[in-house]
Amino acid sequence: MALGFGSKPDRADSTSNDNKAAHELFNKDSENGGVEKQRHGSRIEGPARRDIDSSEEESISVGKQIELEAGNAIQYRTCSWQKTAALLFSEYICLAIMSFPWSYSVLGLVPGLILTMVIAALVLYTSLICWEFCMRHPEIRDVCDLGQMIFYNQRWAFWFTAVMFILNNTFIQGLHCLVGAKYLNTISGHGMCTIGFSAIVAVVSFICSLPRTFGTLAKGATASAVFTFISVLLATIFSGIMDHPKGWPAETGPIDPIVLAIPAAGTTFVAGMSAFMNISYTFIGQITLPSFIAEMKEPKDFPKALWAVTIAEVIVFGLVGSIVYAYTGTQYMTAPAFGSIGNEVLLKVSFSFMIPTIIFLGVLYASVSARFIFFRFYGGTHHMGSHTVAGWASWAGILAVLWILAFIVAEVIPFFSDLLSLMSSLFDAFFGFIYWGVAYFRMREADYGRNYFKTRGIRGWAGFLFNIGLCGVGLLFLTGGTYATVQSIIDGYKADNFGGAFTCQDNGV
């Protein structure tokens, strides 16, 4: 959450009371319904935050947080579920939708659509686990606080999560610098050195990142999601009405698009895994959810936003992926699928509606990272809730450093896109699956005891085994996904597909 509560206490004095506080915060007298009812919904640990100790339990609740910041010039817990839905839509309804047709061309239409629904269901489930955990521990500000708590309040878990958190977000920012340059190169016919285009996108994104609350950013999020929907809708229509996709061999005679229901014979593990991971990466965004929930007025309404975006994802991803693939075919497919539109004018028109999301999604991840850093420096001070020179200068400085790092990393690494996939394989294994399996185990143990899976009957065993499987999926990402990405980098070097650092080479569609 965004508030700090007083000065930082001596952690040594409060540690001995944390476990007691953890079990007392939500537990009432047993006369209200017995031990199991008493324990249901309880905390798993005392507060992980160093600016809160067990004597400040009353200041942890959402209502108390809102009360404490009521007179502040900058208030954080202001998001309705509709604003949170807008943030989620802007995160998930993005350029990555246009890579689904390519994934379906590798996996085949039937397995592709099945995997789309399965991954959507798994992400919905894990997101609800994340929400339940945040409801039990309303002082959580971001996934780093959560990561520390699920691993028994160990500080190594906090730093382990924080490193992955910052790297993941910074790499996504860098990706959007490159995607912005790709758009500008496409629309201008490579009118400037690609480095210059990337720098322009980074500067514009920095300026757009300056608002300090998600409530303010939600307006931009709405515009981003709407324009993205228009963009993919146009691209889908244009794919259907055009005479032929780009790459149509007119000189040798037309070859009709090949559409496969199942993978083509000889499809390699690396190709199939890459297509599967591409679908998964688009859905996995739980890394931001604790930050969003921390600024909601009514966190209990978060599932409304979550269900809305999940239903829209399945419909839009499935329809766009399958329709574009059906009209383009395996042999003419590109990623993103804008590159398969045969008419250059139609390509540029549909791609142009992606401008808001190209900027905003990088802005969103930059803001999430900046909050993590800013709140650690200024938690419990008047700079959090007031318009102070030091507060705004620090906020702007943090964002500037993040965008400079993102720009440099994106330009200096020749195989940046593959490196981003490698980082996603490593980080999404934890943020997409493993963390939430562990969170489930910790919460059920707090509710029903260490042997909860035995005492709860079939429901206990089903939940236990399902979440073991969930952690197994995370390990699949960690192993199979990493292997596929590393092999892709090796193949890219063999084929001489990578340019140099800080290259002006045209990367347009």
Side-chain angles (χ1 to χ4, degrees), residues 331-346:
Q331 70 271 49
Y332 308 117
M333 185 56 63
T334 62
F338 290 113
S340 301
I341 298 176
N343 185 299
E344 289 295 320
V345 173
L346 298 183

Side-chain angles (χ1 to χ4, degrees), residues 20-192:
K20 180 181 178 182
H23 292 292
E24 290 179 351
L25 184 60
F26 292 106
N27 295 345
K28 305 302 179 183
D29 292 338
S30 58
E31 63 188 68
N32 290 332
V35 175
E36 283 203 2
K37 182 177 179 181
Q38 177 190 1
R39 296 174 66 181
H40 184 71
S42 62
R43 299 176 62 91
I44 66 166
E45 292 282 354
R49 292 175 51 180
R50 293 197 168 197
D51 58 344
I52 301 175
D53 67 14
S54 57
S55 66
E56 296 178 294
E57 291 173 7
E58 291 184 358
S59 65
I60 294 176
S61 70
V62 173
K64 188 64 174 182
Q65 292 173 35
I66 295 174
E67 179 184 333
L68 289 174
E69 69 173 9
N72 292 349
I74 301 174
Q75 298 176 10
Y76 294 92
R77 276 205 180 267
T78 57
C79 281
S80 62
W81 75 264
Q82 292 91 341
K83 288 184 176 181
T84 303
L87 294 169
L88 292 175
F89 271 102
S90 70
E91 181 179 2
Y92 292 110
I93 307 298
C94 61
L95 180 62
I97 297 172
M98 296 305 293
S99 64
F100 271 66
W102 173 82
S103 292
Y104 291 173
S105 73
V106 176
L107 296 169
L109 196 54
V110 173
L113 288 170
I114 291 173
L115 285 173
T116 297
M117 291 185 284
V118 170
I119 294 296
L122 288 177
V123 172
L124 173 65
Y125 171 78
T126 54
S127 298
L128 290 171
I129 291 293
C130 173
W131 165 71
E132 180 186 350
F133 196 94
C134 291
M135 288 293 290
R136 296 177 185 231
H137 310 91
E139 77 280 7
I140 287 176
R141 296 168 292 193
D142 45 53
V143 76
C144 301
D145 283 339
L146 186 149
Q148 177 176 335
M149 294 193 74
I150 63 174
F151 291 107
Y152 300 91
N153 254 344
Q154 297 296 313
R155 288 299 288 174
W156 67 262
F158 172 85
W159 290 111
F160 175 72
T161 306
V163 169
M164 292 194 296
F165 177 75
I166 293 296
L167 285 176
N168 180 83
N169 295 355
T170 304
F171 271 74
I172 291 176
Q173 291 174 243
L175 174 66
H176 281 265
C177 289
L178 289 184
V179 172
K182 182 185 290 287
Y183 166 76
L184 293 173
N185 269 320
T186 300
I187 209 71
S188 68
H190 193 43
M192 180 189 291

Side-chain angles (χ1 to χ4, degrees), residues 370-385:
R371 275 167 171 69
F372 165 73
I373 299 169
F374 186 82
F375 292 169
R376 266 67 186 182
F377 278 109
Y378 291 109
T381 72
H382 69 289
H383 299 295
M384 287 283 295

